[in-house]
Amino acid sequence: MSKVVDYPSAMSPVPSATSPEAVLVPPPLLPLAPPRRRATFLPFSPPSVGEEEVEAVTQVLRSDWITTGPVAKLFERRFAAAVQAPEALAVNSCTAALHTALAALEIGRGDEVITTTMTFAATANVIEHVGARPVLVDVEPDTLNIDPARVAAAISPRTRAIIPVHFGGHPAALDAIDDLAAARGIPVLEDAAHAVPAAWRGRPIGADGRLVAFSFYATKNLTTAEGGMLTGPSDFLAKCRVLALHGMSRDAAERYRVGGSWSYEVHRPGFKYNMPDLQAAIGLAQLQKLDAFARRRQEIVARYHAAFADEEALETPVTRDGVTHAWHLYPLRLRLDALRIDRARFIQELTERNIGTSVHFIPVHLHPFYARTYDLAPHDFPVAYANYLRLVSLPLHPRLTDAEVHDVVEAVYDVVARFRR
Ligand SMILES: *Cc1c(COP(=O)(O)O)cnc(C)c1O
C-alpha cells in the first residue's frame, strides 16, 4: 500500500528549534507503514452453532413431524424454566412475539404505545401493524435505555402500553416504568431481543408473568436462525397461541395426531407465527450452552473494558447496580472532540483493518417513514441522536478467541492513535 496517510500526532517528526530549515520547510509527507491488518475479515456476529445443533436438526428431519409439535413444546417449557416464566410461546421472530402481544392486548386504531427511539425499527413497526401510533421518547445518557422521565411526559389519555427495550442486554429501569404503567393501568411489554440471560434486581428478564418478547435471530445471544419467544401469564399466552396460528382453536399437531379430530374454529383472523420443530431443535441445543455463552461474553467484555477504560477518545458501556447484563452488544462510544474523524470514517478504518462492526441503532425517528409520518427531526431526541453519531458496536460473541479480541483492541488503538486530534 503506497497511500499517504495523515501524521498521527505521536509519530510526527518534531522540528528542531535550532534548525532554521525546520521552521521554513514543512515536514515531508512520508508514507506511513500501513496498519497491521488481520489476514482474514473478522465478522461482527457469526452464529455460535456446533455439531449439537446439526444433530438436533437432523433428528427432527428424520422424524415424521418437522413443523410445530413436541420439540417446540419442549423448547417452550425449557425456555420458560430458564427465565422463570410461568409459560412461554415459541414464535418465528421477536417481531411476531411483539405483534401478537399487542394484538392480544386489543391495541389498535386511536391508541398510542410509548417506546424508545433507540431500537431496531421492528419495535415501532409492530405498533404500526396494529394500527396504533408509536410515541417515541428519548433515552438515558448512560445506558441508552428508555428514559422514564420522558415516558412520564409522553403519557396521554390514549396511551395503551409501554414497550421498553433492554438496549444491548442492559435491563431498562423497570421499577420506574412499572410505576408509571401501574398508575394508568396499562401493560408493560418488554422487548428483550438482546436480554437473554439478563436479570433485573435478581429476577430474570422474562420471569414472574411479565410480558416479554425475545429474539432468536441469527445474530442474537441464543439463535434458532429466525425465531422468538413470548413469556407471560398462562391465560394471556393462551390467547396469543391462538392468534399466532391463524386464530385457529386447535393446532396442527393436535389435529393430525392419532385420534385427533379434523375440526377447528376461527374466531379472529390470526397470524402465521408458529415456530417449527426444526428450529426449536436448534433452540434446545442452544439453551444448553447459554450459561457458557454468557460467561464467554462477560470475559470478552472484561477484556474490552480493561483495554479501553483509560483512553480519553473512547467511552465504554456502563452497567448499573442491581442488573445482570446479557452483553448482547459492546456499544463503544467515540469522543468525537478527541478525534479528527467521524464515526463513519472510524468504521471504515476498522473495516480496512479487517474488523467487522455495526451500529446500534439508527434511531427510529431518523428513518424516513417515521420522520415523515410524525414530522420528526433528528434533534427532537437529542440524547439518542448525539449518541447515534458516535456509536460503534464491536464484535462480541462466544466464538471470539482471545487473539481475535486482541486484534480488535489493536485495530481500535491504531485508528485512535492515527486520528487523535
Ligand atoms: C433483533 C431485534 C428485534 C427483532 O427481532 P426478530 O427476531 O428479528 O424479529 C426487535 N427488537 C430489537 C431491539 C432487536 O434487536
Side-chain angles (χ1 to χ4, degrees), residues 44 145 192 214 225 259 281 284 288 389-390:
F44 172 68
N145 272 324
F214 295 88
L284 280 169
Q288 299 230 323
L389 295 176
R390 63 197 194 95

Side-chain angles (χ1 to χ4, degrees), residues 93-95 119-120 122-123 165 191 193-194 215 217 220 227 361:
S93 70
C94 178
T95 309
T119 184
F120 182 55
T123 320
V165 177
D191 179 337
H194 302 174
S215 175
Y217 179 66
K220 300 288 159 74
F361 285 97

